[in-house]
Amino acid sequence: MKRVLSGIQPTGEIHIGNYLGAIKQWVELGERLGKEAFFCIVDYHALTNPAAYDRDLLAQRTFEAALVNIAAGLDPEKVTLFVQSHVPEHTELSWVFTTLTPLGDLTRMTQFKDKAARLGSGELIGAGLLMYPVLQAADILVYKADTVPVGEDQLQHLELTREIARRFNGLFGETFPEPQAYLNPNAPRVPGTDGKAKMSKSLGNTIGLLEDENSLWEKIRHLPDDPQRIRLSDPGDPERTVVFTYLSYFAPLELVEALKEEYRRAGVGTLVVKEILFEHMMRTLRPIRERAEALRKDPGYVMDALLEGARRARTVAASTMEEVREKIGLLRPGRVPVYAASV
């Protein structure tokens, strides 16, 4: 692992699924790789989600996403943290890749089909949704990243990135690495508060990392219980309630196992377990909230960090794009083609 690239969309409040599934991992990778760890707030990708995109809130959400990541432990003085639109080479390389990517490869993407189906015939299905994985490939390859932290739902997109790299290399010479997926076995697939689907801003089943404590408690209080446990005296199955799933993320293993055993023999009620969950969750979240509050009082620090991150990122991206322009044969400024010079 020499260089990693990962990104997060600023389409709404950063939630505990983002924190447990990605941000904690980013912090660990940043400690190992320093400035070779590239983390990006992908604001251009946010435009492909009509349900979440809001032009009046996009800048605010982008800034907030950076602030929350820093509050959660990502150190912009160690890693390269930046905003996608601050590095225009992303979209330039994306267009080059668009010309090399078969339409069939894109229409077969599972995420495109799922999202298009959710939008339905009444909503605009923009071409950007179809081209999303091509821009994602450019995000990765413009830095020649060899490793990409992803969830299992992104593996198909990453394989397309590898195919695009192979196709470019075959046509124009060795240029891009074929990045490998980094699937952290300790990064959970966090379920939503409905206990069914994965936690997702688009599904509205999230617990915000900075959510008001009263609101957070109400969500925990209403988490679904084991549906087969009707009375307090009934034994319960901890595997049938998301309460214990969340508890395993925040509480010591010994406590979780002890409560599970009590739950199985009807020795503890779900409300008590939810109160314990809330207490342990807040032990993790309160320090993040305190750091976020301090950063809100010093917004210049966050903006300066993003601008410095973009400067570092663009140094690498510009070098890659100059190589790409040369290899695909674009007319370079100040360079007269050989045939024209001989006329």
Side-chain angles (χ1 to χ4, degrees):
M1 190 185 300
K2 297 177 181 177
R3 180 177 288 163
V4 303
L5 183 287
S6 196
I8 189 169
Q9 280 200 44
T11 49
E13 188 176 31
I14 303 296
H15 53 70
I16 62 169
N18 300 135
Y19 174 69
L20 296 167
I23 298 172
K24 282 185 69 177
Q25 180 180 267
W26 290 7
V27 173
E28 294 165 5
L29 289 171
E31 291 295 324
R32 290 166 56 186
L33 295 173
K35 291 183 173 60
E36 293 305 304
F38 286 72
F39 300 118
C40 183
I41 314 299
V42 288
D43 50 348
Y44 277 138
H45 282 296
L47 305 185
T48 67
N49 186 346
Y53 163 60
D54 185 326
R55 68 176 299 275
D56 295 325
L57 293 177
L58 182 58
Q60 176 186 325
R61 287 175 172 174
T62 301
F63 183 86
E64 186 77 1
L67 183 149
V68 174
N69 272 273
I70 295 171
L74 203 63
D75 187 348
E77 295 181 21
K78 291 182 179 178
V79 305
T80 301
L81 176 66
F82 63 103
V83 176
Q84 182 186 35
S85 65
H86 293 177
V87 184
E89 286 79 5
H90 285 241
T91 48
E92 184 179 358
L93 184 59
S94 177
W95 174 252
V96 174
F97 287 165
T98 295
T99 68
L100 304 176
T101 306
L103 180 62
D105 286 1
L106 298 173
T107 57
R108 283 191 291 272
M109 291 291 109
T110 301
Q111 285 205 15
F112 168 72
K113 291 188 285 188
D114 290 348
K115 290 178 180 178
R118 284 204 299 268
L119 286 173
S121 58
E123 293 284 347
L124 171 69
I125 301 175
L129 185 61
L130 183 67
M131 303 310 300
Y132 185 108
V134 180
L135 178 55
Q136 190 175 56
D139 296 336
I140 297 164
L141 295 177
V142 78
Y143 301 107
K144 298 189 177 183
D146 66 323
T147 308
V148 184
V150 291
E152 291 185 358
D153 58 340
Q154 288 290 324
L155 287 176
Q156 189 183 34
H157 282 186
L158 185 59
E159 184 53 40
L160 180 65
T161 297
R162 290 164 53 80
E163 290 177 9
I164 289 172
R166 284 195 294 270
R167 189 172 293 120
F168 188 97
N169 292 345
L171 288 170
F172 302 111
E174 198 65 27
T175 307
F176 298 110
E178 293 183 27
Q180 303 297 316
Y182 179 70
L183 289 168
N184 187 341
N186 299 316
R189 186 180 187 274
V190 181
T193 53
D194 53 7
K196 299 174 183 178
K198 178 182 175 182
M199 188 171 286
S200 169
K201 287 170 276 193
S202 63
L203 297 177
N205 61 358
T206 64
I207 293 176
L209 209 58
L210 305 183
E211 189 167 343
D212 175 78
E213 288 194 25
N214 291 330
S215 171
L216 195 154
W217 165 243
E218 284 302 304
K219 288 184 178 180
I220 290 177
R221 192 167 68 87
H222 289 95
L223 289 175
D225 195 1
D226 175 358
Q228 296 183 29
R229 190 183 194 195
I230 308 301
R231 294 173 295 274
L232 187 61
S233 58
D234 293 337
D237 184 349
E239 305 307 317
R240 288 199 293 256
T241 171
V242 72
V243 176
F244 281 94
T245 304
Y246 288 168
L247 189 66
S248 69
Y249 302 147
F250 296 98
L253 178 61
E254 301 79 12
L255 175 60
V256 177
E257 292 303 318
L259 287 170
K260 282 184 176 181
E261 185 57 35
E262 287 294 305
Y263 190 76
R264 290 188 185 100
R265 63 184 186 85
V268 66
T270 309
L271 182 60
V272 172
V273 180
K274 289 177 177 178
E275 289 171 344
I276 294 171
L277 167 61
F278 177 74
E279 176 188 343
H280 282 273
M281 186 181 290
M282 292 314 302
R283 288 181 187 179
T284 297
L285 299 188
R286 281 195 184 107
I288 296 174
R289 292 157 184 249
E290 290 169 5
R291 289 193 292 270
E293 189 60 33
L295 287 168
R296 286 204 177 96
K297 294 176 181 176
D298 187 13
Y301 174 81
V302 178
M303 185 57 74
D304 287 347
L306 290 174
L307 295 178
E308 174 58 21
R311 186 195 65 77
R312 291 200 301 261
R314 197 166 187 196
T315 298
V316 178
S319 175
T320 300
M321 276 313 305
E322 188 56 35
E323 182 181 1
V324 167
R325 296 183 198 109
E326 190 74 35
K327 287 186 173 179
I328 66 177
L330 296 180
L331 177 65
R332 310 308 303 126
R335 296 188 197 173
V336 179
V338 173
Y339 85 91
S342 62
V343 173

